[in-house]
């Protein structure tokens, strides 16, 4: 069969999922849709995250996963900060079951599932009740290799995140983040609302390794959550 260039396979399941997302997160489906066709809108601007304005804290050379091969890649820098969800909703990517590499032959591990409309509605009840509401737990994300931590022109430390879809990827907390992807919620919360974020930057330029370790972090977090829930029942 002759290979046809510049053709993207778009399955019926993709269309159904996009239709559901458009109903539940509206205009914030746009970049998710374009990414299916490898069309990423990018500007030359970046989101600048500072210690003063975003309560930025940096921890370097941390091990956040079990001891595997690729020891250098295991070492990561951690950043915690607060930010308006509306600054990152357009650029955030979510790892799905069909986008993560297989870590082993077993299929018993569950990666992130599609957004659950009922879960979004339930969470939005809190947001629509009080404009000062904030989730007490951090959203966990992975920073792409394009993100940089450096000094600005005034000597202030800053984390720069390019305004490009996929610059950050959600590992834990997708429903908390996308509960803000609603016009009524945005009108209620206004642009000055905040969420707390923990961001991981793997010390490697190889995207395959970043994706692999992102999957491991997701698996280990969910294993610990399941273990903790089991303790709670006893």
């Amino acid at each position: 069969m002759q290979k046809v260039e510049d053709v993207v396979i778009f399955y019926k399941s993709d269309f159904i999922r996009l239709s559901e997302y458009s109903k539940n997160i509206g205009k914030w489906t746009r970049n998710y849709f374009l990414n299916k066709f490898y069309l990423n809108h990018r500007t030359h601007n970046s989101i600048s995250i500072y210690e003063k304005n975003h309560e930025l804290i940096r921890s370097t050379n941390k091990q956040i996963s079990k001891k595997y091969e690729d020891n250098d890649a295991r070492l990561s820098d951690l950043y915690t900060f607060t930010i308006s969800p509306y600054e990152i909703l357009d650029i955030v990517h979510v790892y799905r079951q069909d986008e993560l590499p297989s870590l082993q032959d077993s299929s018993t591990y569950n990666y992130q599932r599609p957004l659950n409309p009922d879960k979004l509605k339930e969470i939005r009840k809190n947001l629509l009740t009080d404009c000062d509401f904030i989730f007490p737990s951090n959203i966990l994300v992975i920073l792409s290799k394009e993100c940089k931590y450096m000094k600005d022109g005034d000597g202030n430390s800053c984390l720069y995140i390019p305004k490009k879809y996929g610059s950050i990827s959600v590992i834990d907390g997708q429903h908390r983040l996308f509960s803000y992807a609603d016009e009524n919620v945005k009108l209620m919360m206004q642009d000055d609302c905040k969420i707390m974020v923990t961001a991981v930057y793997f010390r490697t330029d190889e995207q395959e390794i970043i994706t692999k370790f992102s999957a491991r972090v997701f698996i280990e977090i969910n294993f610990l959550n399941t273990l903790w829930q089991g303790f709670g029942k006893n």
Side-chain angles (χ1 to χ4, degrees):
M1 184 182 213
Q2 185 177 4
K3 182 178 179 182
V4 180
E5 296 184 357
D6 298 326
V7 173
V8 176
I9 298 175
F10 197 72
Y11 294 102
K12 179 181 178 180
S13 59
D14 293 323
F15 175 78
I16 293 174
R17 180 172 297 178
L18 283 166
S19 298
E20 292 176 348
Y21 280 13
S22 66
K23 295 176 183 177
N24 294 296
I25 61 174
K27 66 181 182 181
W28 289 279
T29 311
R30 177 180 179 272
N31 286 345
Y32 176 80
F33 170 72
L34 293 177
N35 184 63
K36 291 288 184 182
F37 296 91
Y38 306 101
L39 298 172
N40 293 321
H41 175 68
R42 176 176 184 160
T43 68
H44 294 293
N45 298 325
S46 297
I47 299 171
S48 301
I49 299 176
Y50 290 96
E51 179 180 354
K52 180 179 180 180
N53 299 330
H54 301 88
E55 303 174 271
L56 176 65
I57 299 175
R58 183 191 188 209
S59 300
T60 61
N61 297 322
K62 301 301 179 182
Q63 177 186 321
I64 63 170
S65 183
K66 295 178 183 178
K67 292 185 177 180
Y68 292 101
E69 71 281 3
D70 306 320
N71 287 336
D72 290 339
R74 255 191 316 106
L75 293 178
S76 59
D77 296 338
L78 298 180
Y79 301 88
T80 61
F81 54 88
T82 59
I83 193 170
S84 167
Y86 301 107
E87 287 195 67
I88 62 175
L89 275 170
D90 280 334
I91 66 172
V92 68
H93 167 77
V94 182
Y95 282 109
R96 302 293 180 194
Q97 289 180 327
D98 57 352
E99 295 175 349
L100 286 169
S102 176
L103 300 182
Q104 55 185 8
D105 293 334
S106 173
S107 59
T108 58
Y109 291 108
N110 292 320
Y111 299 119
Q112 295 204 59
R113 296 180 175 87
L115 287 168
N116 185 322
D118 293 333
K119 195 170 184 179
L120 287 175
K121 290 178 182 177
E122 189 63 31
I123 295 175
R124 283 170 181 164
K125 289 180 182 178
N126 293 320
L127 300 179
L128 290 169
T129 301
D130 188 351
C131 63
D132 293 323
F133 179 86
I134 186 171
F135 293 106
S137 56
N138 289 26
I139 292 169
L140 179 63
V141 304
I142 302 295
L143 299 176
S144 72
K145 60 184 179 182
E146 297 176 279
C147 299
K148 303 295 181 185
Y149 179 81
M150 60 183 70
K151 301 284 187 180
D152 66 6
D154 297 323
N156 300 309
S157 298
C158 180
L159 175 63
Y160 294 96
I161 301 177
K163 287 189 175 180
K164 171 189 174 184
Y165 182 82
S167 292
I168 55 178
S169 300
V170 176
I171 293 297
D172 185 59
Q174 63 162 329
H175 285 90
R176 278 171 281 151
L177 175 59
F178 280 93
S179 63
Y180 288 92
D182 178 85
E183 293 297 344
N184 291 328
V185 170
K186 185 176 182 181
L187 183 63
M188 174 71 180
M189 302 300 292
Q190 302 299 319
D191 290 336
D192 58 351
C193 65
K194 301 291 184 183
I195 57 173
M196 297 185 293
V197 178
T198 296
V200 181
Y201 182 84
F202 290 111
R203 294 194 158 201
T204 176
D205 290 331
E206 297 183 39
Q207 185 58 47
E208 183 179 351
I209 294 179
I210 293 175
T211 305
K212 181 172 66 174
F213 275 87
S214 298
R216 285 179 176 160
V217 171
F218 177 81
I219 290 172
E220 290 171 12
I221 285 176
N222 280 270
F223 172 76
L224 290 174
N225 286 340
T226 301
L227 193 62
W228 180 254
Q229 290 172 5
F231 283 139
K233 294 178 181 179
N234 295 329

